[in-house]
Amino acid sequence: MKKLKVTTYARKLLFDGQCKIERLRYPDIDHIFGHENEAPDFASCRYANKLYLERYKLYAKYGSFIEGHYQDILYKLSHLIQEIKPNPTIEEILFIYAYILRKGYLSLDNELKFIYPKKELDVRPGLSIVTGESVCRNYTALLSDLLFHFNINSIPIMTDRLTKESEPIHIIPELEALKHQTHDQDDTFEEEFNEKAQASNGNVQFGNHSELLVFDRHHHLLDPTSISLSIITSKETEYKALDFLKLWSLYATGMYNIKTTCSFYHQLKDKSLKVVRSKALISTQHECYDSCEHNKEKIKRFNETIKEDISFLNEELSY
């Protein structure tokens, strides 16, 4: 027992020492982590990073069959989108994806409820879409994995949309209706969200939403939950990028190492967010929605081709 305590104490000393060394090497850590920045402390995130990386390795070693079925869905979905809109833009991918997702064509029994999934693999949250129970982080993760098939680099990031005022979005009634169609479990979601907030001492300001950073010419921020997109711009607005983007989450979830996280802080510290609103965007929304409606039979056939994958993944996620 004494040996165990000494070993644990020694590991803690080593861990604390490594944290201090990294703080000296990367002074920007103090601007990204800690309560003053409405974020968890660096040590907690460093420990979470370590655990995530260990789980990524386990998934890479033992999850090949699961990943194979998941990639089959993504491959077929990317081809379906290209059939509906050849050489699609980021906006077109977002709107077509939102249609297919919200209509339940990726889910068990063609249903999709906005509630926390009972079956979830934290290193592959996009998988949970097939269960028919998903929230913003699942929507975002699946879209990120899908964009890889279009050679578009992106990364999910936690944001603060529920406690910070943000710009209104412009969305056509048809897409707005799709959002409400999948929010039939709002009461259940709100109860569970409040429970999670209380469990974290009410620190919902640490991040309460998930969106997708796309590394293209403008650095887009896609939100498949609200079905909107913003650009990260050097032009100053009242919506500062780092008021919304929780960079600590990139490190805590093992997406970035601390050097890259700090580098990204430098890129964003003087940037602002600007919601994309234009007649052209509204026209694109109409075109994508109408194209999906026109290709409904093709989408249904796609759904039939992935039924086996969906069934397999649901069974595997039950373990």
Side-chain angles (χ1 to χ4, degrees), residues 14 42 55 176 186 194 204 235 318:
L14 177 62
F42 175 59
R55 290 197 285 268
E176 184 68 34
D186 265 348
N194 289 333
V204 293
K235 184 177 180 181
S318 297

Side-chain angles (χ1 to χ4, degrees), residues 84-85 286-296 299:
I84 295 173
K85 280 283 182 181
H286 278 295
E287 288 176 8
C288 290
Y289 186 87
D290 292 343
S291 294
C292 288
E293 287 287 290
H294 179 73
N295 287 281
K296 191 173 288 187
I299 295 173

Side-chain angles (χ1 to χ4, degrees), residues 95-96 98-103 169-182 225-227 281-294 296:
F95 299 138
I96 295 172
Y99 179 97
I100 294 170
L101 172 73
R102 300 301 186 111
K103 287 284 188 178
I169 65 171
H170 284 191
I171 188 170
I172 62 175
E174 292 85 351
L175 289 178
E176 184 68 34
L178 283 181
K179 287 164 53 178
H180 292 295
Q181 179 177 311
T182 53
T225 306
S226 67
I227 315 180
L281 186 73
I282 292 297
S283 177
T284 299
Q285 291 180 358
H286 278 295
E287 288 176 8
C288 290
Y289 186 87
D290 292 343
S291 294
C292 288
E293 287 287 290
H294 179 73
K296 191 173 288 187

Side-chain angles (χ1 to χ4, degrees), residues 37-39 158-167 193-194 197 200 202-211 239 242-246 248:
N37 303 303
E38 298 183 340
M158 190 170 286
T159 64
D160 192 353
R161 290 286 186 182
L162 300 186
T163 57
K164 299 277 187 187
E165 182 182 354
S166 56
E167 285 186 273
F193 179 83
N194 289 333
S200 63
N203 286 325
V204 293
Q205 71 268 26
F206 286 175
N208 45 47
H209 192 47
S210 178
E211 299 179 57
Y239 305 102
L242 291 182
D243 285 346
F244 291 91
L245 302 174
K246 301 299 181 179
W248 62 265

Side-chain angles (χ1 to χ4, degrees), residues 192-255:
E192 293 187 10
F193 179 83
N194 289 333
E195 287 178 7
K196 290 177 182 292
Q198 291 173 5
S200 63
N201 296 319
N203 286 325
V204 293
Q205 71 268 26
F206 286 175
N208 45 47
H209 192 47
S210 178
E211 299 179 57
L212 188 64
L213 274 172
V214 177
F215 303 104
D216 58 354
R217 186 165 58 91
H218 290 297
H219 275 60
H220 277 93
L221 185 66
L222 304 188
D223 186 351
T225 306
S226 67
I227 315 180
S228 66
L229 66 160
S230 307
I231 57 171
I232 298 175
T233 175
S234 297
K235 184 177 180 181
E236 187 174 351
T237 74
E238 60 184 296
Y239 305 102
K240 303 300 182 185
L242 291 182
D243 285 346
F244 291 91
L245 302 174
K246 301 299 181 179
L247 299 190
W248 62 265
S249 68
L250 299 177
Y251 178 67
T253 55
M255 296 289 182

Side-chain angles (χ1 to χ4, degrees), residues 16 30 56 63 114 121 192 202 205 263 314:
D16 291 344
D30 291 332
Y56 282 130
F114 196 81
L121 194 60
E192 293 187 10
Q205 71 268 26
S263 174
N314 268 279

Side-chain angles (χ1 to χ4, degrees), residues 109-124:
D109 300 327
N110 298 119
E111 292 186 2
L112 185 64
K113 298 175 181 177
F114 196 81
I115 54 178
Y116 289 107
K118 298 181 183 68
K119 309 168 187 176
E120 190 170 26
L121 194 60
D122 59 358
V123 297
R124 242 351 184 187

